[in-house]
């Protein structure tokens, strides 16, 4: 890699979880720490405050195991994808922004949160979601079954709009059923990852 270091011999390194894609921290590397990182597959920085090399986790045991190293288009910033071993921040937080390092499925995660809010706070007389939860697990499971059958029926036809709408209905009701059972999409993701082995 043709790295462009700053005048003080450093290059910023953004550390990202290779699975969740969450940014965990930002550190700086010099030529020596970058070489150690490549060779050891453990992230090693140059500490500007201590004026020395330090491997993340050398004291805490919370190492950052390198999965991939990418260089940006200007060759002056690294993106290092890692598998973290424990929390990343010295405060004990998963990230240096005090955020949880959990999977985020974009809009689907927002939808999960909205379902949870309605399940918990909405009046069943004014909320479809709250009314289904109020009817219990059997009704939710039945609704998922009905939506699954409708997806199968639409899959056999050529009306793409109907197929997509029924698929959206199935996913929506499945997210509700997951919550009724005390689970989220990240639990399903974990099962699928375990099957990958």
């Amino acid at each position: 890699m043709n790295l462009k270091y700053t005048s003080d011999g450093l290059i910023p390194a953004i550390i990202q979880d290779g699975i969740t894609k969450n940014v965990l921290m930002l550190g700086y590397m010099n030529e020596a720490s970058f070489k150690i990182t490549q060779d050891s597959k453990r992230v090693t920085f140059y500490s500007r405050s201590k004026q020395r090399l330090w491997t993340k986790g050398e004291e805490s045991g919370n190492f950052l195991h390198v999965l991939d190293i990418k260089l940006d288009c200007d060759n002056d910033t690294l993106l290092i994808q890692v598998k973290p071993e424990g929390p990343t921040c010295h405060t004990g937080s998963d990230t240096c922004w005090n955020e949880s390092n959990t999977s985020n499925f974009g809009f689907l995660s927002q939808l999960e949160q909205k379902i949870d809010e309605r399940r918990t706070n909405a009046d069943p007389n004014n909320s479809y979601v709250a009314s289904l939860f109020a009817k219990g697990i059997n009704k939710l499971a039945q609704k998922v079954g009905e939506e699954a059958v409708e997806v199968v029926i639409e899959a056999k036809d050529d009306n793409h709009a109907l197929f997509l709408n029924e698929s959206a209905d199935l996913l929506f009701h499945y997210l509700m059923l997951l919550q009724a059972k005390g689970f989220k999409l990240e639990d399903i993701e974990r099962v699928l990852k375990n099957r990958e082995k």
Side-chain angles (χ1 to χ4, degrees), residues 40-108:
S40 71
K41 300 295 186 203
R42 286 184 173 172
V43 175
T44 299
F45 296 107
Y46 178 79
S47 171
R48 296 173 298 166
S49 58
K50 298 175 184 173
Q51 300 284 299
R52 70 170 180 87
L53 300 179
W54 65 282
T55 298
K56 181 68 178 148
E58 64 188 21
E59 293 177 13
S60 66
N62 298 330
F63 295 102
L64 298 171
H65 302 280
V66 176
L67 300 174
D68 192 22
I69 299 176
K70 298 176 181 175
L71 190 58
D72 79 339
C73 58
D74 293 323
N75 295 347
D76 62 2
T77 304
L78 292 166
L79 175 63
I80 302 179
Q81 294 181 325
V82 301
K83 180 178 180 183
E85 191 175 326
T88 298
C89 188
H90 70 280
T91 64
S93 176
D94 285 350
T95 78
C96 288
W97 289 270
N98 199 30
E99 294 178 334
S100 177
N101 184 24
T102 55
S103 294
N104 186 316
F105 303 98
F107 174 74
L108 292 179

Side-chain angles (χ1 to χ4, degrees), residues 128-139:
Y128 174 73
V129 170
S131 70
L132 268 182
F133 276 103
K135 291 175 184 172
I137 193 78
N138 289 342
K139 184 62 178 175

